[in-house]
Amino acid sequence: MSQVLSGVRVLDFGRFIAGPYCAALLADFGADVIRIEKREGGEDRYIAPICESGAGGMFMQMNRNKRGMTLDPMSEDGAAIVRKLVASADIVVANLPPDTLRAMKLDYDSLTAVKPDIILVTASAFGAVGPYRDRVGFDSIGQAMSGAAYMTGQPGQPVRAVAPYVDFGTAFGMAFGALIALMDRARTGKGQIVEGALLRTAVNMMGSTLIEQAAIQINRTPTGNRGQTSAPSDILPTKDGHVLVAVTGQPIYKRWVKLMGDEDYWLNDPKFANDLARGDNAALISARLAAWLAERTTDEAIAALAQARIPAAPVLTPQEVLEDPHLRETGYLQPVDFPGMAQAALLPQPPMVLSRTPGEIRSRAPLNGEHTDQILRSIGVDEAEIARLREARAI
């Protein structure tokens, strides 16, 4: 199978999600990605452990297809190894604050002194400029500061999303930027900085709400699961669970009305004339849908809604997601063996599918320092020097 990024070497100094997942996407399509961790392993390795070595599911997902080595880049010996690695690389990924990048000599000036055409792909909570540039943060910081957490909850009770969409959105943007930078370097011979920021990603995802606020100062307040610019758009109970229904646009709304009945009222009353009017009167529409759902099981409701071609889905538990027949038939969750686990970990494959050069999960995430010696030998470090570096606790 063709691996379109074969021959591209990536140094991954990232942690948690944004940087490591960016590098994982590049690895999925053939890049040689080297995950570089502290001697004791990065803190993200051990979050929510699920195997004997202490590695967690997040680490397994973020670091598939990578080789792993340990290194203390702040030591004199470690800094020398970083320079050798950079000289062999095309891309450096590091989702670290600007001051930390400078301290580790991973800032762009330090990197280009070693490899003039290097591409630095970096992300931080707030970006490299502005009064918050040196603050640290996680996905939820972006959710809170973009208006998303405020609009997601009920009045007086903001709620963050459990899924770290800000981190993943930043990772996708970083990977996209890295590919653009590679294309530009092929034409010009020059590298550049690709910079992501959690706050920018989160604000981008809240863009339409913020554009509306700036234009007409509407000052929307949260309405829980109920949508505000169309209806019905809500999560409501059935006899045995919950269902999400999302109706936007007149054609789908007309199909929903036909399913509910009483077409004269729902089609001709001015309160329901268009999406915005229906959003303003969403409580009335949700009440009608709630009554319909309350008479049916989840399976019965989904079958009827699907037959009417109305977007709808059951609200699944994590276990129910694993058992979902569509995901099982597509094979999207790939079993990957990991040392110390009685059964294989189920890893989501790359979410984009290319017809000729698809990405693939070829290997599990590395054990801590699993490929240190192999990688050092590949940059010209001999066995005696490897032993000395280990004795000096640089690796």
Side-chain angles (χ1 to χ4, degrees):
M1 185 179 294
S2 174
Q3 296 179 353
V4 71
L5 294 181
S6 178
V8 174
R9 172 169 283 188
V10 179
L11 306 181
D12 176 12
F13 289 90
R15 54 188 180 181
F16 300 105
I17 296 176
Y21 191 63
C22 163
L25 290 171
L26 301 177
D28 291 344
F29 289 88
D32 173 24
V33 177
I34 299 172
R35 159 82 182 197
I36 300 167
E37 297 180 74
K38 296 182 291 188
R39 292 181 62 257
E40 65 273 22
E43 58 267 46
D44 55 344
R45 176 180 282 273
Y46 304 112
I47 294 174
I50 59 173
C51 69
E52 292 176 1
S53 69
M58 183 182 78
F59 184 86
M60 294 180 189
Q61 179 183 4
M62 301 305 134
N63 294 285
R64 74 286 182 108
N65 290 335
K66 300 179 185 179
R67 296 188 290 162
M69 68 176 293
T70 57
L71 184 67
D72 176 9
M74 302 297 285
S75 69
E76 184 176 345
D77 285 330
I81 295 300
V82 169
R83 290 192 292 272
K84 286 180 176 287
L85 288 168
V86 170
S88 74
D90 300 285
I91 298 171
V92 172
V93 175
N95 56 318
L96 299 165
D99 58 340
T100 305
L101 286 177
R102 290 190 292 272
M104 294 176 65
K105 297 293 190 285
L106 296 176
D107 58 290
Y108 191 60
D109 287 343
S110 297
L111 294 175
T112 54
V114 177
K115 183 81 179 297
D117 65 349
I118 199 74
I119 294 166
L120 172 61
V121 181
T122 183
S124 59
F126 298 99
V129 298
Y132 307 152
R133 62 184 177 273
D134 289 324
R135 293 186 187 178
V136 297
F138 290 116
D139 173 282
S140 53
I141 301 299
Q143 294 191 37
M145 292 189 66
S146 64
Y150 172 82
M151 288 300 299
T152 299
Q154 300 286 350
Q157 182 56 68
V159 175
R160 70 169 178 88
V162 172
Y165 67 86
V166 176
D167 273 335
F168 277 96
T170 302
F172 280 117
M174 293 164 70
F176 176 75
L179 296 179
I180 295 296
L182 281 172
M183 291 177 67
D184 178 72
R185 193 180 70 172
R187 291 197 302 262
T188 67
K190 298 179 180 179
Q192 60 181 300
I193 304 172
V194 177
E195 186 202 68
L198 300 182
L199 182 59
R200 288 203 300 266
T201 299
V203 168
N204 186 67
M205 292 184 174
M206 284 293 290
S208 61
T209 299
L210 299 174
I211 291 167
E212 180 192 51
Q213 177 63 26
I216 60 176
Q217 289 78 52
I218 194 169
N219 296 317
R220 292 191 182 276
T221 55
T223 53
N225 292 313
R226 194 171 67 242
Q228 299 187 353
T229 58
S230 65
S233 179
D234 211 341
I235 296 176
L236 295 164
T238 63
K239 283 183 175 181
D240 59 353
H242 287 79
V243 164
L244 179 144
V245 178
V247 172
T248 300
Q250 202 67 10
I252 299 176
Y253 177 70
K254 286 182 177 179
R255 296 199 293 272
W256 177 80
V257 168
K258 184 176 181 180
L259 185 64
M260 295 297 106
D262 197 5
E263 296 183 42
D264 183 65
Y265 173 63
W266 296 108
L267 288 180
N268 297 324
D269 192 302
K271 292 194 299 291
F272 315 122
N274 53 45
D275 277 336
L276 192 58
R278 292 190 286 270
D280 291 340
N281 294 281
L284 290 173
I285 299 177
S286 282
R288 176 66 187 96
L289 177 60
W292 184 86
L293 289 170
E295 298 172 348
R296 293 162 173 82
T297 66
T298 295
D299 286 347
E300 290 168 346
I302 292 297
L305 290 160
Q307 180 68 28
R309 297 190 59 76
I310 295 167
V315 177
L316 302 179
T317 67
Q319 183 60 39
E320 288 169 337
V321 174
L322 297 178
E323 297 168 356
D324 182 79
H326 180 85
L327 283 175
R328 285 195 167 188
E329 184 172 327
T330 61
Y332 178 61
L333 295 174
Q334 178 176 328
V336 177
D337 290 327
F338 196 90
M341 289 187 68
Q343 58 187 27
L346 292 177
L347 303 188
Q349 297 181 58
M352 70 293 290
V353 177
L354 279 69
S355 63
R356 196 171 61 82
T357 57
E360 58 178 340
I361 298 177
R362 300 178 301 280
S363 60
R364 60 166 173 80
L367 298 173
N368 190 37
E370 182 173 354
H371 304 102
T372 299
D373 291 12
Q374 177 192 102
I375 293 164
L376 290 175
R377 286 193 293 267
S378 76
I379 58 173
V381 182
D382 62 27
E383 298 298 331
E385 179 64 3
I386 291 173
R388 188 193 72 78
L389 290 169
R390 188 162 278 116
E391 179 68 23
R393 301 180 67 80
I395 58 174

